[in-house]
Amino acid sequence: MGLPAWMRRSPFPDPVPAAAVPPHLRPPRPAGWWIVPVALGIGAAVFGVAWWLLTGASASSGGGPAATPAPASTAAPLPSGVTLVQVRSEVLRTALAAGAGIGAAITLMLAFRRQRHQEIATLHTSHDAAERRVTELYTKAVEQLGHDKAAVRLGGLYALERLAQDNPGHRQTIVNVICAYLRMPYTPPVPAPEPVQAPPARSAPPSNDRWLHPPTPGNEETPLPEQPAADKTDDAEGERQVRLTAQRILGDHLRDERAPGERDSGQPADVRFWDGMRLDLAGAALIDLDFQDCRMAKAGFGGATFTGDAWFGRAVFTETALFGGATFTKTALFGGATFTKTAWFGGATFTRDAWFGGATFTEIALFDGATFTKSAQFDGAVFTRDAWFDGVDFTGIALFDGATFTETALFGRATFTETAPFDGEDARVLRPDRGHVWPPGWTVAEQPDGTGLLRRQEEPEPAAPGAEGGAPAPDGEDGTGTPEAVG
């Protein structure tokens, strides 16, 4: 039976952009801070206009206070029938009108300020309401993750996914929650053993003389193996499905399907891609993890256990990638991956094949103390900085064909079970003068362009068995060329 309709995953519509943080709402200043300056400004404006007009009127009439008379060329006589009192009254009315205009302008500015303040307050109210709603949905989804039913936990994961898709500002927090769930202690379910079919039992002796016939092989009751309870099996399988869903959610939203050229040209990514996410999966139990073509920032997988294949092909790590002490139970695929910062695989255990062909290590690559039980394939890998393989145990085939070492390469104390770790196309060493430490039997042959090629040292051929100084006797013949007698 499939999941309920509300729990099944459906394509998301265009995500709603996260609400922008409204501008800062400055608390209003005390009223006296602006009322007094406004009153003084209006009074100064009225007084200045009145003084200017009255001075001109007094100069025109030739009266007034003892003031410096205006020049005759600028002093115009008053019209007939107009007295100085009327002029002064008009001057006062004009000054008051100017003051009223200034007051109206100030009132308009205050109204604009009040309106702006109300708009910002409304934005704050809407933002707070949206944040409260997001917090409520987030809290409810996290509570669902703690439910004892797998179906409810699946619903919590899908709710968190939708919440992160619609609110980019909360994506990192939700990714942290999903990673924390995957870090919870977990033991993958063990398949139930097939029931052992008991051999046909012999007829038991009568009960009254059973003590005369002790049990012999074939007539004793064979106990059947204990089968796990149905509810426990369902819970284990349900938890497995929940974890697979959590991993798939991370993989789907960290996968950048743009080609490198499209990414460099600035072509926008798919709306489902969450850029710049940091992962903390240290010590997690991961099942068939598929992070192919994923792009992530700092990735912490230290001490994690990868049950099943681990797919990191063409993945891009923009910050430090930590895989120290991790255990890969099956194939680990890092082919074509790009490590922009330090890549640390120190102490990691690769139980099956490890594929790093074509990988690019921009910063230091640390594999010291790692164990490769099967083949370790680094053919075509590019090491821009130091490559540390100190103390690495290569139990299977180690392939470095066509690899490029720009800085120091250290293979001190590394052990190779196979005898040809660099056979095939020569590995290139761009700076042969560095303090490289190569496996026994290998050396760098300098080239005319200043680089070097890693090649096996020629060993002297052992002396052929046979006569001293003469050609060895052909197989099946003695020294005279006569076939040896048989029998």
Side-chain angles (χ1 to χ4, degrees):
M1 180 181 296
L3 295 174
W6 63 271
M7 198 176 293
R8 287 197 298 267
R9 186 161 175 249
S10 59
F12 291 123
D14 292 338
V16 179
V21 178
H24 177 65
L25 186 62
R26 188 178 62 182
R29 298 178 183 270
W33 184 87
W34 59 271
I35 290 179
V36 173
V38 167
L40 293 177
I42 294 176
V46 172
F47 178 79
V49 171
W51 177 264
W52 175 64
L53 293 176
L54 288 176
T55 302
S58 300
S60 299
S61 61
T68 303
S73 59
T74 60
L78 293 176
S80 59
V82 178
T83 63
L84 184 58
V85 175
Q86 294 176 337
V87 172
R88 290 180 177 178
S89 176
E90 290 296 329
V91 167
L92 183 60
R93 186 180 297 110
T94 302
L96 292 176
I102 296 175
I106 295 176
T107 303
L108 181 63
M109 289 188 297
L110 291 177
F112 173 78
R113 179 179 179 274
R114 186 182 302 108
Q115 177 66 23
R116 177 61 177 167
H117 188 276
Q118 291 177 354
E119 292 177 355
I120 294 178
T122 302
L123 287 177
H124 275 276
T125 303
S126 302
H127 181 266
D128 293 342
E131 289 297 319
R132 283 195 300 270
R133 181 174 178 273
V134 169
T135 302
E136 292 174 359
L137 294 175
Y138 169 81
T139 303
K140 183 178 180 180
V142 171
E143 290 176 354
Q144 289 178 327
L145 283 181
H147 201 275
D148 57 348
K149 297 295 184 181
V152 179
R153 297 198 296 274
L154 284 172
L157 283 175
Y158 289 134
L160 287 175
E161 180 187 20
R162 180 62 180 267
L163 192 61
Q165 183 67 25
D166 294 346
N167 300 272
H170 296 276
R171 288 176 179 174
Q172 183 61 62
T173 301
I174 293 174
V175 167
N176 294 342
V177 173
I178 298 177
C179 290
Y181 185 87
L182 292 174
R183 291 198 307 269
M184 298 289 288
Y186 171 71
T187 302
V190 179
E194 297 182 358
V196 179
Q197 185 176 3
R202 299 177 183 177
S203 58
S207 59
N208 56 356
D209 60 350
R210 188 177 183 89
W211 61 274
L212 297 175
H213 302 274
T216 59
N219 71 346
E220 71 276 6
E221 296 180 0
T222 304
L224 296 178
E226 181 181 357
Q227 300 294 328
D231 55 349
K232 293 183 179 179
T233 303
D234 294 342
D235 291 344
E237 180 59 26
E239 175 62 15
R240 181 176 181 273
Q241 293 300 324
V242 173
R243 287 178 168 269
L244 288 174
T245 300
Q247 294 177 182
R248 182 181 52 77
I249 289 175
L250 292 178
D252 288 349
H253 291 284
L254 296 178
R255 187 167 291 112
D256 187 2
E257 297 180 350
R258 293 176 296 174
E262 297 174 348
R263 190 182 304 115
D264 297 338
S265 63
Q267 179 175 341
D270 188 81
V271 294
R272 291 175 52 79
F273 172 60
W274 300 348
D275 192 16
M277 295 295 104
R278 301 181 301 275
L279 301 181
D280 183 8
L281 292 170
L286 306 173
I287 309 169
D288 294 325
L289 185 65
D290 184 5
F291 274 11
Q292 290 189 103
D293 298 309
C294 286
R295 183 181 182 88
M296 62 207 84
K298 185 176 182 179
F301 293 90
T305 299
F306 295 85
T307 302
D309 297 334
W311 300 78
F312 288 91
R314 299 179 303 277
V316 178
F317 300 87
T318 59
E319 294 185 19
T320 305
L322 303 174
F323 288 87
T327 300
F328 297 85
T329 61
K330 289 191 176 181
T331 305
L333 299 120
F334 288 86
T338 301
F339 298 89
T340 306
K341 299 295 183 180
T342 301
W344 185 34
F345 288 85
T349 301
F350 297 87
T351 307
R352 301 290 293 274
D353 297 336
W355 171 253
F356 288 86
T360 301
F361 298 88
T362 306
E363 292 291 334
I364 300 176
L366 300 171
F367 287 86
D368 47 319
T371 300
F372 295 88
T373 304
K374 298 293 184 179
S375 64
Q377 303 183 32
F378 288 86
D379 45 319
V382 177
F383 298 90
T384 306
R385 296 288 300 274
D386 297 344
W388 290 24
F389 290 87
D390 185 66
V392 176
D393 185 8
F394 294 95
T395 304
I397 299 175
L399 300 177
F400 288 83
D401 306 345
T404 301
F405 297 91
T406 303
E407 296 290 338
T408 305
L410 299 176
F411 285 84
R413 298 184 297 120
T415 58
F416 294 88
T417 302
E418 301 291 337
T419 57
F422 296 95
D423 278 355
E425 184 182 354
D426 294 327
R428 178 170 293 276
V429 181
L430 299 184
R431 301 186 63 179
D433 57 337
R434 307 289 290 184
H436 304 289
V437 179
W438 303 110
W442 291 88
T443 185
V444 176
E446 295 190 11
Q447 303 299 305
D449 59 356
T451 63
L453 296 179
L454 192 61
R455 292 178 177 174
R456 184 189 295 274
Q457 293 178 347
E458 297 182 359
E459 298 180 358
E461 297 183 358
E468 296 181 359
D475 294 340
E477 299 181 357
D478 57 12
T480 62
T482 304
E484 298 180 354
V486 178

